[in-house]
Amino acid sequence: MKFISKLRFNFIGIICLLLVAGIFCIYPSFPSYAIEALDESLTGTTRVQTNIREPGTAETPEELQELNVTNGFTVTINNGNGELNSSLRILITLTLISLAPTLIIMLTSFTRIIIVLHFTRNALNTQTAPPNQVLIGLALFLTFFIMNPIITQINEEAIKPLEAGEITQEEALEKGMEPLREFMYGQTQRKDVKLFLDIAGEEWTEDIDEIPNSVLIPSFIVSELRVAFIIGFIIYIPFIVIDMVIASALMSMGMMMLPPTTISLPFKILLFVLADGWNLVIGNLVKTFY
């Protein structure tokens, strides 16, 4: 019985496959009446175009914007000065937003601030107090505080004139980079600039205008890392002294198995609170940029 039922199932399956194959063979022979059934006055047929004017007939920018030839964005060129339309502006804005975290970290005071704050937390040995979210938020607001005059200058000299049509996009980019270059140059050590200039095979006559951005930016980052580690070393010194004193006291009492950090942590926090440590660290850290 099982053999008969299996044979019957295979026979039914073969019949179904033959029916499906027959349908696919017959289907292309059916004529398509979709286009012929459409009204002659409607768009979508091959006889009616969807553009309002013929390409090349626009004489003014307003007429060019009314053309419905494609659904993409257009770039209007006027005497060699490119004027971007809204679609391309949105694309550039989204690109800048995606690059904003990198620009904030690499071109501002954020790097030095976040490294010093992490050194402070590690010196206190409080593990995750304050948490990373708090440190990053504090570093961001301190960065905005320090960079506020530069942001204001970029807005006044580059963004507003560009929106008013007073300068071109190339001029706006140059004027927007000038305040950032002056800030980075003021925080960059000369030996770092000479290092990257020597690697690039270029000469320098102590003029900021002769330093390309490809050299100034990495030089600034290396200088920020050096200064941040120096500040972190200075912060570590008093807390290391407390660890050494606690370890010596525990060894003199024969308490070898007790970790010194367990006893020194309350004393570190007490010293940090009594000395108003956050005020000292953040206040002196911000003053290093002025």
Side-chain angles (χ1 to χ4, degrees):
M1 295 298 293
K2 292 183 178 179
F3 175 77
I4 295 174
S5 61
K6 185 182 296 185
L7 182 61
R8 184 182 300 171
F9 177 76
N10 292 334
F11 181 73
I12 294 174
I14 293 172
I15 293 175
C16 292
L17 290 176
L18 291 175
L19 289 175
V20 173
I23 292 173
F24 279 106
C25 291
I26 298 173
Y27 177 74
S29 63
F30 288 116
S32 177
Y33 299 98
I35 297 179
E36 295 180 2
L38 293 174
D39 190 359
E40 293 292 338
S41 61
L42 297 179
T43 60
T45 65
T46 57
R47 303 182 183 88
V48 181
Q49 297 181 355
T50 58
N51 55 321
I52 299 175
R53 293 188 181 92
E54 291 295 332
T57 59
E59 298 180 356
T60 62
E62 291 75 13
E63 293 180 355
L64 182 60
Q65 293 177 359
E66 293 178 357
L67 288 179
N68 191 21
V69 178
T70 61
N71 293 324
F73 58 83
T74 58
V75 181
T76 303
I77 305 298
N78 185 14
N79 295 328
N81 296 324
E83 181 182 354
L84 301 179
N85 68 342
S86 59
S87 301
L88 192 55
R89 286 178 181 270
I90 293 174
L91 177 61
I92 295 176
T93 302
L94 293 177
T95 304
L96 292 178
I97 290 175
S98 63
L99 296 176
T102 303
L103 297 178
I104 293 176
I105 293 174
M106 297 291 100
L107 304 183
T108 63
S109 58
F110 181 86
T111 301
R112 184 190 304 184
I113 294 173
I114 194 64
I115 292 176
V116 171
L117 292 179
H118 274 284
F119 270 123
T120 304
R121 186 179 66 179
N122 292 334
L124 286 171
N125 198 23
T126 54
Q127 303 300 325
T128 58
N132 291 330
Q133 293 84 350
V134 175
L135 293 183
I136 294 174
L138 179 60
L140 283 174
F141 279 102
L142 290 177
T143 301
F144 291 148
F145 174 78
I146 295 171
M147 304 297 294
N148 184 49
I150 300 172
I151 295 174
T152 303
Q153 185 178 356
I154 293 174
N155 185 42
E156 295 293 335
E157 297 181 359
I159 298 178
K160 288 185 177 180
L162 177 63
E163 293 295 333
E166 300 175 357
I167 58 177
T168 62
Q169 297 165 13
E170 292 78 7
E171 294 175 347
L173 182 60
E174 293 179 0
K175 291 182 178 294
M177 281 299 299
E178 286 180 2
L180 284 175
R181 285 175 56 86
E182 292 178 0
F183 170 78
M184 290 188 291
Y185 182 76
Q187 304 298 326
T188 304
Q189 298 186 10
R190 294 179 179 270
K191 60 180 179 180
D192 295 327
V193 177
K194 292 181 179 179
L195 170 64
F196 286 96
L197 286 174
D198 292 339
I199 295 174
E202 299 180 5
E203 297 182 357
W204 184 36
T205 59
E206 306 294 330
D207 188 5
I208 183 176
D209 296 330
E210 297 180 358
I211 305 175
N213 293 329
S214 59
V215 172
L216 183 59
I217 293 176
S219 304
F220 168 73
I221 296 172
V222 172
S223 299
E224 288 293 285
L225 292 176
R226 181 185 294 107
V227 174
F229 273 73
I230 293 174
I231 297 175
F233 171 76
I234 296 173
I235 292 175
Y236 255 100
I237 293 178
F239 299 106
I240 291 177
V241 173
I242 294 177
D243 287 334
M244 296 175 61
V245 172
I246 296 298
S248 300
L250 292 177
M251 291 182 65
S252 63
M253 291 186 294
M255 304 175 66
M256 303 290 186
M257 303 302 295
L258 184 63
T261 56
T262 305
I263 306 300
S264 63
L265 179 60
F267 291 97
K268 289 181 180 180
I269 296 176
L270 179 63
L271 174 65
F272 197 72
V273 172
L274 292 178
D276 198 5
W278 289 115
N279 192 350
L280 292 175
V281 171
I282 294 176
N284 290 280
L285 178 60
V286 172
K287 290 179 182 178
T288 58
F289 292 97
Y290 294 96

